[in-house]
């Protein structure tokens, strides 16, 4: 079969909203590819050896252009790839069509119902993968429940997010994890850049393009001061907002205060905030008792993996009316006359109402993902545990990023190496 025929057959095997959108999708993929030099370098370093030849890789990730480019890199390393989205509202239908036309099996569309989302997860598993990439843990969860027949053939996988790694650690602790998983989220080159600067930029991009409202001079309440929350707060400050942090951890709360932010309980923040961004990974962080006090006109957005952080049940029960006032903005009109506005149905605002993190950020994250697959492929038979990304890989990704930026850094001299080895320093 020619390459063209193979690509055509992938489109036929795929589940797409509209295959005719492929040209727009291809252009989006080409644009980001030109801004992802680290991944291109990894492809160049390994591509000619096709180390993943004969392997099948199933991917469950937010299906936008950067993800599509990563899938193509994995394909160029020799693997066959099947992909689905990791959130019903983050798939871009044109990108999905473009990717399928480039030889990857795609099962996903924007606005998938729960049944469709579930069906798409099953379809990428029907592909019988050897390796997987997951974002949030849905693929791993399905493999360990309904699709246990496939467990013996899985060499391992890599997980993208904090939420997914929490789920994996729970499985590891209870002895239920059946294959090795690489914790991409915990690599320095992930959380320091993707969680902080990626989330910081993409969340405000999503909020601003959706609402078209001014941030300067307003009060932004950031709920959760992990690496993502730090980024969201930092960018809110840069945009001229007054920033309030709500955080349950005393150390992170102290850090937020010393970073120059106001720290308070949600019941007080509810009364002063204009924008609310939840990024905790927990459920019901904005709930009835807060909504009863919330300022009229407040804008609510979530940046955590699941749409559980802002209670939609409480919003509904307090409301006499709901309507879509603008694309991706739902107004809840309360019985006492106040209104609040929920963006993107409480789904990840940066992906459901935006394009996700900037290309240069996802370049590093996806370089870690691809390097993790290569590592697992080179180390078959690893125990079923959650693994740190090897220091060598983390450093290689940072070094490639610096090279792509044209930045050179100093190295230790031999004398400095000796000095640092000695316990008699300073004498
Ligand atoms: N694009 C693809 N995956 C993403 C993620 N986890 N966060 C932000 N943007 C993304």
């Amino acid at each position: 079969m020619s390459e063209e025929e193979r690509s055509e057959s992938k489109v036929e095997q795929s589940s797409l909203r509209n295959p005719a959108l492929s040209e727009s999708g291809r252009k989006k993929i080409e644009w980001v590819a030109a801004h992802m030099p680290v991944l291109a370098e990894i492809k160049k370093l390994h591509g000619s050896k096709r180390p993943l030849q004969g392997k099948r890789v199933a991917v469950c990730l937010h299906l936008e252009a950067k993800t599509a480019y990563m899938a193509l890199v994995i394909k160029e390393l020799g693997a066959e790839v099947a992909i689905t989205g990791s959130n019903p509202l983050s798939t871009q239908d044109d990108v999905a069509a473009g990717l399928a036309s480039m030889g990857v099996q795609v099962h996903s569309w924007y606005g998938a119902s729960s049944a469709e989302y579930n069906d798409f997860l099953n379809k990428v598993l029907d592909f019988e993968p050897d390796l997987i990439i997951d974002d949030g843990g849905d693929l791993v969860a399905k493999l360990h429940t309904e699709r246990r027949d496939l467990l013996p053939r899985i060499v391992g996988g890599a997980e993208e997010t904090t939420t997914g790694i929490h789920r994996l650690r729970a499985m590891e602790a209870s002895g239920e994890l059946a294959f090795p998983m690489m914790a991409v989220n915990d690599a320095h080159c992930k959380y320091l850049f993707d969680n902080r600067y990626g989330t910081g930029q993409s969340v405000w991009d999503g909020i601003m393009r959706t609402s078209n409202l001014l941030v300067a001079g307003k009060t932004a309440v950031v709920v959760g001061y992990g690496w993502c929350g730090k980024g969201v707060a930092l960018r809110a400050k840069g945009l001229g907002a007054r920033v309030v942090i709500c955080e349950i951890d005393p150390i992170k709360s102290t850090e937020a205060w010393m970073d120059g932010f106001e720290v308070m309980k949600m019941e007080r923040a509810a009364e002063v905030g204009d924008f609310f961004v939840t990024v905790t990974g927990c459920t019901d962080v904005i709930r009835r008792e807060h909504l009863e006090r919330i300022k009229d006109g407040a804008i609510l957005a979530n940046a955590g993996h699941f749409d559980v952080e802002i209670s939609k049940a409480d919003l509904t029960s307090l409301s006499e009316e709901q309507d879509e006032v603008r694309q991706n903005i739902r107004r809840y009109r309360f019985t006492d006359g106040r209104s609040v506005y929920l963006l993107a149905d409480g789904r990840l605002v940066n992906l459901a109402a935006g394009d996700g993190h900037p290309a240069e950020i996802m370049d590093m994250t996806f370089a870690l993902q691809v390097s993790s697959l290569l590592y697992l492929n080179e180390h078959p038979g690893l125990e079923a545990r959650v693994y740190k990304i090897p220091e060598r890989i983390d450093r290689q990704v940072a070094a490639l990023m610096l090279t792509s930026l044209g930045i050179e850094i100093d190295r230790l001299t031999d004398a400095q190496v000796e000095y640092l080895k000695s316990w008699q320093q300073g004498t």
Side-chain angles (χ1 to χ4, degrees), residues 61-64 66-67 135 160-161 194 202 350-351 355-357 362 366:
L61 268 177
H62 300 292
L63 215 184
E64 47 84 17
K66 283 92 70 183
T67 311
D135 182 342
E160 172 100 352
T161 61
D194 174 313
S202 63
N350 55 341
L351 283 145
D355 287 314
H357 295 349
M362 293 317 290
F366 288 157

Side-chain angles (χ1 to χ4, degrees), residues 204 215-225 228-246 253 256-264 268-269 272-277 279:
W204 285 106
V215 179
K218 305 265 181 76
T219 298
V221 178
V222 179
V223 194
Y225 204 64
C228 294
K230 284 187 185 101
V232 174
L234 188 65
R235 286 294 166 260
K237 183 176 168 182
L239 287 162
R242 294 183 185 87
V243 182
V244 170
I245 305 296
C246 298
S253 298
W257 179 71
M258 291 210 193
D259 285 346
F261 301 123
E262 276 193 72
V263 178
M264 62 181 76
R268 266 187 65 209
V272 298
D274 299 296
F275 292 99
F276 291 78
V277 182
V279 59

